[in-house]
Amino acid sequence: MASSSLLVHRVCYIALFFTFCFAADPFVNFELEYSYITASPLGVPQQVVAVNGKFPGPILNVTTNYNVVVDVKNKLDEDLLVTWSGIQMRRTSWQDGVLGTNCPIPKGGWNFTYQFQVKDQIGSFFYAPSVNMQRAAGGFGSFIVTNRNIIPIPFSPPDGDIVIIIGDWYTRSHKTLRKDLDDGKQLGMPDGVLINGKGPYRYNTTLVPDGIDHETINVDPGKTYRVRVHNVGVSTCLNFRIQNHNLLLVETEGYYTSQQNYTSVDIHVGQSYTFLVTMDQNASSDYYIVASSRFVNQTIWQKVTGVGILHYSNSKGKAAGSLPDPPNDVYDTSYALNQAMSIRQNVSASGARPNPQGSFHYGQINVTDFYLLKSVPPVSIDGKLRATFNGISFKNPVTPIRLADLYYVKGDYKLDFPTKPMNRPPKVDTSIINATYKGFIEIVLQNNDTVVQSFHMDGYSFFVVGMGFGEWTENNRGSYNRWDAISRSTTQVFPGGWTAVLVSLDNVGVWNLRAENLDRWYLGQETYMRIINPEDHSNKTEMPVPDNALYCGALASMQKQQKVSSATTLFGSSELFFTLLLVLSAVISLVS
């Protein structure tokens, strides 16, 4: 028995860059190289961030409980981090890819290998750069977690899978956008909306210049497709619709929804939705796919519209005429709020496990902690434009928070984030939430800004239990949905309104809370939750710091010069790499 244990230990050690071994769960490996290419999505040549030479990047498709190894090589001219929006990174915030938890991947060809398990997750997510406004230039792609075959899905298997990535777009570079914000300017109106990295179909010869490449999605009549839509844009809510086709909503950010048909759906920045779309039209012509701006002056913003083409294999002609109508009043936030609250969880469907998603009765749990996070329009602090939560504009620590804990680096952050807005001047600070492990927290997001905000929480999904307008009061708790509220990781907060979420804090680590609107995020509208198990003295609830961790700040001297460019280089080739993994898994199975 002792020799078997030693063999398992050595096998795990040989794996080198793995911080854990799961014999029963397969590994999947990806290599992502970030570089610049020149593209003209709106007819103007500009530098964009490509992944493996593609814009957008490749689709990463994995299965529930797979161990995912992603080697990211940075060939940009500035530091890089990649985050995995909605992937919960159970017990390992080391892999989250944001500045509060990771040192950035240095420029000049450095790489970092992310290692995480998609534990008990299914659904539609995306990956994207998290620093330096780089997402405004690209670097994003779809990340899909499919069910294990033994777990049924709550609808008939579709005939195909379609990914649609939408987002507002500027022809100014991300560096110029960054400088504009640094100079105290607003970003202003985007130059357009992209669909899968391409500009609009020329549905209008006045609004759309000639020579722009548009997206065409080919389908067969009578078939039903699973259509996954991600809004990876900068700051604009987009209304998504397909001419003459119903959108049957079935999933959002990892949770199945009660199935409802929509003619159009508002998709806010950072959000992901999955629809079933049946090709039941007569194909007299192609059909428009539209992503148009919401809650803005349409007369001015008319050109900020993404248009693609849905092409039936038996189509008789090109799409022509007017675009399908958006919701009647673009300023009617009550319509948008009602639509948002109509999205409910399918409590009878299995998720990643063979038990109903709704078996967790969140509405019966006592709240242990309460935070009201208020946002206001950006303000000047010490002569610089800054965005805030509760009057605090977050400054990233020089040394990532959990590394500072482990190596006793003092003074890089404070555990004093206020539970509500304070009656004091706004300030720049590195103040984070000292959250309670296994607590049940209520967070109310009060948006006193002038724009729709998207709010995101890393490491978790939360129950969106309420939305409303005006200032939140305790009386609003009476309107909360305590049975089948949708669970997700990104929610919208309407201007002059509030959104309430509930979340069970069972995932140890340091987790980012942020505005997904890139301008607000860049200007400091974020903080972190530090969740530590005080009784864990043997690292059972948190993974140890990975062997390949990057070091910076006060720990910069610990960083060794990188000698290997990727995990597969370490073993000579990807074929040898996967062969070795299979051998290792087999050996572990035999001796365990």
Side-chain angles (χ1 to χ4, degrees):
M1 183 64 68
S3 60
S4 295
S5 300
L6 180 61
L7 178 57
V8 172
H9 176 78
R10 286 178 176 171
V11 166
C12 288
Y13 180 78
I14 290 171
L16 226 96
F17 56 88
F18 294 112
T19 57
F20 49 87
C21 287
F22 293 110
D25 296 315
F27 285 84
V28 60
N29 175 268
F30 301 99
E31 294 186 1
L32 302 182
E33 182 178 275
Y34 276 70
S35 64
Y36 295 120
I37 63 172
T38 299
S40 305
L42 293 178
V44 179
Q46 62 182 118
Q47 187 183 72
V48 304
V49 176
V51 185
N52 296 352
K54 297 180 179 179
F55 170 73
I59 298 170
L60 306 187
N61 203 317
V62 303
T63 301
T64 298
N65 291 348
Y66 271 34
N67 298 296
V68 182
V69 181
V70 188
D71 187 68
V72 174
K73 187 169 186 178
N74 179 15
K75 296 187 74 174
L76 305 180
D77 58 0
E78 54 189 12
D79 293 350
L80 169 72
L81 274 174
V82 178
T83 194
W84 316 87
S85 184
I87 301 300
Q88 293 179 9
M89 303 294 174
R90 304 296 299 179
R91 302 165 54 207
T92 179
S93 58
W94 308 109
Q95 309 297 328
D96 198 29
V98 287
L99 283 174
T101 51
N102 297 107
C103 296
I105 307 169
K107 60 185 178 181
W110 279 62
N111 78 291
F112 177 76
T113 302
Y114 291 87
Q115 314 147 47
F116 54 89
Q117 187 181 31
V118 284
K119 183 68 175 173
D120 292 337
Q121 284 196 268
I122 56 94
S124 306
F125 310 97
F126 66 87
Y127 62 90
S130 68
V131 297
N132 292 323
M133 293 281 289
Q134 288 162 355
R135 196 179 81 203
F140 41 71
S142 185
F143 191 106
I144 297 171
V145 185
T146 58
N147 287 69
R148 293 174 289 164
N149 289 334
I150 62 171
I151 307 298
I153 57 176
F155 45 83
S156 298
D159 298 300
D161 211 272
I162 295 169
V163 170
I164 298 179
I165 295 179
I166 61 177
D168 58 353
W169 188 258
Y170 292 83
T171 54
R172 310 198 305 278
S173 72
H174 71 284
K175 296 177 184 178
T176 301
L177 296 176
R178 202 166 66 208
K179 185 177 185 305
D180 287 344
L181 293 173
D182 290 338
D183 291 343
K185 302 174 184 176
Q186 300 289 341
L187 295 184
M189 185 176 69
D191 297 292
V193 169
L194 304 189
I195 295 179
N196 287 346
K198 298 178 180 179
Y201 171 78
R202 201 178 191 203
Y203 71 98
N204 182 303
T205 57
T206 302
L207 292 172
V208 183
D210 194 13
I212 291 181
D213 190 21
H214 64 269
E215 176 70 341
T216 298
I217 293 175
N218 297 307
V219 295
D220 291 323
K223 292 188 175 181
T224 297
Y225 294 82
R226 178 163 34 193
V227 179
R228 307 174 191 265
V229 188
H230 313 281
N231 184 343
V232 300
V234 174
S235 62
T236 304
C237 168
L238 297 172
N239 180 264
F240 178 80
R241 53 201 185 273
I242 301 177
Q243 185 180 25
N244 290 6
H245 289 73
N246 284 320
L247 305 173
L248 180 64
L249 179 63
V250 295
E251 178 258 331
T252 178
E253 295 161 25
Y255 291 86
Y256 293 121
T257 65
S258 58
Q259 296 179 16
Q260 299 184 71
N261 274 307
Y262 296 89
T263 54
S264 70
V265 173
D266 289 342
I267 304 180
H268 297 264
V269 176
Q271 291 186 333
S272 299
Y273 284 94
T274 298
F275 308 100
L276 295 182
V277 183
T278 300
M279 306 305 154
D280 55 5
Q281 299 302 299
N282 61 19
S284 57
S285 68
D286 293 341
Y287 297 93
Y288 293 125
I289 301 170
V290 182
S292 61
S293 55
R294 287 281 275 147
F295 315 116
V296 292
N297 186 323
Q298 286 301 303
T299 302
I300 300 173
W301 282 61
Q302 195 175 5
K303 70 171 185 175
V304 185
T305 301
V307 183
I309 293 297
L310 184 74
H311 174 73
Y312 280 49
S313 56
N314 62 339
S315 174
K316 299 178 180 63
K318 294 184 177 180
S322 301
L323 299 180
D325 291 332
N328 290 335
D329 185 349
V330 294
Y331 293 108
D332 185 2
T333 48
S334 62
Y335 170 90
L337 186 147
N338 289 335
Q339 183 183 84
M341 294 308 294
S342 74
I343 298 170
R344 305 295 183 90
Q345 192 145 310
N346 185 339
V347 295
S348 63
S350 296
R353 289 174 176 263
N355 57 286
Q357 295 184 122
S359 61
F360 179 67
H361 295 152
Y362 67 90
Q364 300 173 15
I365 302 174
N366 291 328
V367 169
T368 59
D369 296 286
F370 172 80
Y371 280 84
L372 192 154
L373 303 186
K374 179 179 282 190
S375 57
V376 297
V379 295
S380 179
I381 305 177
D382 299 329
K384 289 288 186 180
L385 189 68
R386 304 291 300 184
T388 59
F389 276 139
N390 288 359
I392 296 177
S393 185
F394 190 78
K395 179 182 179 183
N396 278 294
V398 176
T399 308
I401 295 163
R402 202 70 184 105
L403 279 177
D405 286 345
L406 290 183
Y407 292 97
Y408 305 103
V409 177
K410 300 297 183 183
D412 252 21
Y413 68 89
K414 304 172 186 175
L415 288 169
D416 62 354
F417 192 87
T419 60
K420 60 184 179 181
M422 307 292 284
N423 186 20
R424 65 188 185 192
K427 64 177 181 177
V428 176
D429 206 351
T430 308
S431 175
I432 68 174
I433 294 172
N434 189 19
T436 305
Y437 176 58
K438 290 195 173 177
F440 193 67
I441 190 171
E442 175 184 4
I443 300 176
V444 173
L445 308 157
Q446 179 71 51
N447 182 8
N448 287 11
D449 202 340
T450 57
V451 297
V452 182
Q453 300 244 339
S454 289
F455 172 83
H456 179 84
M457 177 184 290
D458 281 354
Y460 289 92
S461 289
F462 44 68
F463 294 98
V464 184
V465 294
M467 288 184 186
F469 293 105
E471 293 286 326
W472 180 89
T473 69
E474 292 186 9
N475 291 334
N476 291 122
R477 290 194 177 112
S479 67
Y480 285 3
N481 176 357
R482 297 188 180 274
W483 168 244
D484 61 353
I486 189 62
S487 187
R488 62 188 314 165
S489 58
T490 308
T491 188
Q492 64 269 47
V493 195
F494 295 105
W498 56 269
T499 296
V501 303
L502 299 175
V503 59
S504 178
L505 301 182
D506 61 351
N507 193 11
V508 169
V510 176
W511 304 106
N512 187 239
L513 310 179
R514 63 177 178 267
E516 272 290 304
N517 304 49
L518 275 186
D519 51 346
R520 299 302 194 260
W521 185 8
Y522 179 77
L523 293 174
Q525 196 166 300
E526 63 175 324
T527 187
Y528 286 79
M529 289 189 301
R530 181 178 178 269
I531 304 169
I532 305 302
N533 181 359
E535 299 177 358
D536 184 8
H537 304 296
S538 56
N539 281 337
K540 291 182 179 178
T541 53
E542 184 181 21
M543 296 291 183
V545 58
D547 293 338
N548 67 335
L550 297 174
Y551 293 92
C552 55
L555 305 175
S557 61
M558 296 177 60
Q559 180 59 46
K560 297 177 181 178
Q561 183 64 37
Q562 201 167 71
K563 295 181 180 179
V564 222
S565 63
S566 74
T568 53
T569 302
L570 184 63
F571 296 103
S573 72
S574 57
E575 291 80 4
L576 179 58
F577 173 71
F578 283 113
T579 301
L580 182 58
L581 284 181
L582 291 172
V583 171
L584 293 178
S585 294
V587 171
I588 293 171
S589 299
L590 286 171
V591 300
S592 58

